[in-house]
């Protein structure tokens, strides 16, 4: 596995609020060893920041494209962050 790290910010569109998407994302992030955060936005989308090894961040992004069982992901906007985040752990923000 590469030691190169990557930080991305994503916005997930679809039926992603009220379906445990944030809790599911935190569990997936912990499983993949990715740090960051996830939160609901007022426009009914979910926003997240992921930082960690490139392969782990890419695997988490792929998982988020599917989402948890009750969710329907219509699309994900991805933007690369210029600076790796100095975040440890993964939290659900409000």
């Amino acid at each position: 596995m590469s030691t190169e790290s990557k930080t991305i910010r994503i916005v997930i569109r679809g039926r992603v609020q009220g379906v445990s998407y944030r809790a599911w994302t935190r569990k997936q992030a912990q499983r993949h060893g990715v740090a960051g955060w996830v939160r609901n936005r007022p426009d009914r989308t979910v926003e997240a920041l992921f930082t960690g090894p490139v392969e782990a961040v890419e695997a988490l992004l792929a998982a988020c494209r599917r989402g948890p069982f009750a969710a329907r992901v219509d699309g994900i906007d991805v933007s690369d962050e210029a600076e790796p985040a100095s975040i440890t752990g993964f939290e659900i923000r409000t």
Side-chain angles (χ1 to χ4, degrees):
M1 184 183 269
S2 170
T3 58
E4 186 179 347
S5 66
K6 179 176 188 171
T7 302
I8 61 171
R9 184 181 302 262
I10 66 173
V11 175
I12 305 111
R13 297 181 317 281
R15 187 173 57 140
V16 292
Q17 289 192 18
V19 293
S20 299
Y21 199 99
R22 292 176 302 157
W24 176 88
T25 301
R26 179 175 57 189
K27 184 176 180 181
Q28 294 297 311
Q30 291 167 340
R31 184 172 150 240
H32 289 287
V34 172
W37 51 262
V38 63
R39 67 180 171 200
N40 285 339
R41 295 178 8 151
D43 64 359
R44 309 284 299 155
T45 61
V46 170
E47 180 181 20
L49 181 123
F50 303 150
T51 189
V54 172
E55 294 87 357
V57 169
E58 291 296 328
L60 180 54
L61 177 59
C64 285
R65 292 187 190 286
R66 293 183 303 275
F69 177 75
R72 185 193 74 244
V73 177
D74 293 336
I76 296 182
D77 300 322
V78 181
S79 61
D80 291 325
E81 294 290 308
E83 295 285 325
S86 59
I87 299 173
T88 58
F90 199 91
E91 66 181 35
I92 296 175
R93 294 187 175 175
T94 56

